[in-house]
Amino acid sequence: MVLPVLVAPAPAAAGPATCVPFGTAQLPPGAPATGDRTGFDDLPRHQGTGAPAEVELRTERMQFNKYWEFALVGHTLIARPRHTGTWRVVPLPSCLRGQLTAISLDDDEMVGIDGGRWIYTMDNVTHSPRLWNWTSRFGAMLWFGDGQTLPPNTVRPHGWALSVTSPSDNREYLDIAGRVHPSGQAKMTMIPALVGDGSRIVYADPWLPNDRSYEIGSPLGGRFRSVALSASASTMLVINRYGDMFTRTFDFDSSGSDSVFFRYSWESQDGLPSATDLTQETWDRSTAAVQLPAPDWKRQPKIPGEITSAITVISTGPGAERSELRVEGRQNGEVGYWRKGLHDSTWVFVPTGGPLHGPVLDNTGQDMSAATLAAPTPWNLSASLPSRTALVDGQTMIDIGLPYSVVDPRLLDQIGLSAAPSGYRLSVKHFDPAVTTREATVTTPDGIDIPVLLHTADGMRMTPSQPGLTGTPRHLIGAIELPDDVYATRSTDPAVAAFYRGWMREKKIAPITLSATSTDLVIR
């Protein structure tokens, strides 16, 4: 079997090309998609060879959305209307001509990558070609950062993708309770990428700092090793060398990290109506907040046939989680792809002919998802749980509407809002800050251990940071939850009963805010 490998990266230039400093991608979303072809026939015809006959998968060399197909032939970008027409050459700014080495497309945006791995964004790709335009800007603040690159250790060629959730084409998303929420008037844009051994997923967001600190915990507690990733409308698909697949719908905004523009709650929102728009959801507390934790990975059924690492997710919205999964393969010697809806249980083969675009995987009918797990993280942490008489804690900040994803609990201590110890202590082994939920233990003052779940989401950072845990504090939001079997003993187990009545305040789940380094943990 041949597997995707790390491509030896070219040395990155000091910065991106400078001839595209500003574009409409940096502005609020424009008009809804039209698919207007005005101006396309004015573009020069593609005269050479190498253009694909069909574009049904998204790879580094070919992409599609509802209206257009794109391909890279050498370093030349070509396009045509979806499923038909003549391939024509897309005009590029002078500094990008002959420089693009890879592309990715979703909704109304496309990114191009140059030889130094710098990212360039073309906007309005669901409109007339006359409106297509580029920018090299990326990152905080507000998409005006100096630019971003793909990580040098990105798994290539099928280990990264552009994902865009727009207010016109997708409109909404689901929380963990299956409740619909409006996505807001801005887009949810990110570029997730598999790095290293395929167990880490970092993502770049044009509103966040240009670093590698923001991650999406991979399946199986962050240890699942993928050989390919695809994404669309905040939904990701990953696959390992044995054909085991997982999907997850995730974004910085929907996962709990953006309390500046979004309202979250760890408690059940049953009985509360959904808001009609993001403004109402943010300010009207009679409507349902986004219930946390963020939805986790879901295992997808295995494909009964030969497959490759060329995988694709496409949005079929508008609507929440309306996506189609595609996996390249062969059936009876004929090349094509397997397809199914995100929540369907059966794969269907669609023949296309042509060459394979990815290496063949060792697909088996057995569950091999745990066969190549990465080593667990080295961080074993423990912290005193604060007294519930503290003036400010995680619940307080939620109650008063403070954007608590930006307030590190160590700052509370520095300004005199300290908290006495409660006598309870939380311990967590192999703490991975990228993972949403993991098992932990609360030890009572009498030395009795109570199993709990520790949920977390990243805090909001506006300056560059390092991935994982270091000597510099990393802020997270989170909650401690009693698992169902422990919660069921709250009236019969004395230790659980005391913890439930006292520290948990007679709730199954309690919000906290955390600050973690590689050696210590602070909780409020």
Side-chain angles (χ1 to χ4, degrees), residues 31-34 65-67 106-108 126-127 164-172 183 233 315-320 322:
T34 63
N65 61 15
K66 294 179 181 178
Y67 304 107
D106 197 31
D107 203 290
D108 67 344
T126 54
H127 296 274
V164 179
T165 296
S166 70
S168 59
D169 281 7
N170 307 113
R171 303 179 186 172
E172 56 198 23
S183 60
S315 171
T316 57
R322 295 188 61 182

Side-chain angles (χ1 to χ4, degrees), residues 176-193:
I176 195 170
R179 186 176 293 105
V180 174
H181 294 273
S183 60
Q185 296 308 306
K187 301 175 194 174
M188 295 178 176
T189 299
M190 66 173 176
I191 303 176

Side-chain angles (χ1 to χ4, degrees), residues 454-465:
L454 174 60
H455 308 292
T456 57
D458 237 324
M460 180 181 288
R461 298 181 294 280
M462 285 294 103
T463 56
S465 185

Side-chain angles (χ1 to χ4, degrees), residues 266-267 285 386-404 407 412 417 505 507 510-513 524:
W266 295 94
E267 297 185 44
R285 296 199 167 209
S387 167
R388 284 309 216 170
T389 61
L391 183 62
V392 177
D393 60 13
Q395 184 64 64
T396 307
M397 288 188 277
I398 290 177
D399 290 343
I400 65 178
L402 186 70
Y404 88 136
V407 181
L412 298 176
L417 295 174
R505 295 175 174 170
K507 293 183 179 179
I512 57 175
T513 180
R524 291 295 296 275

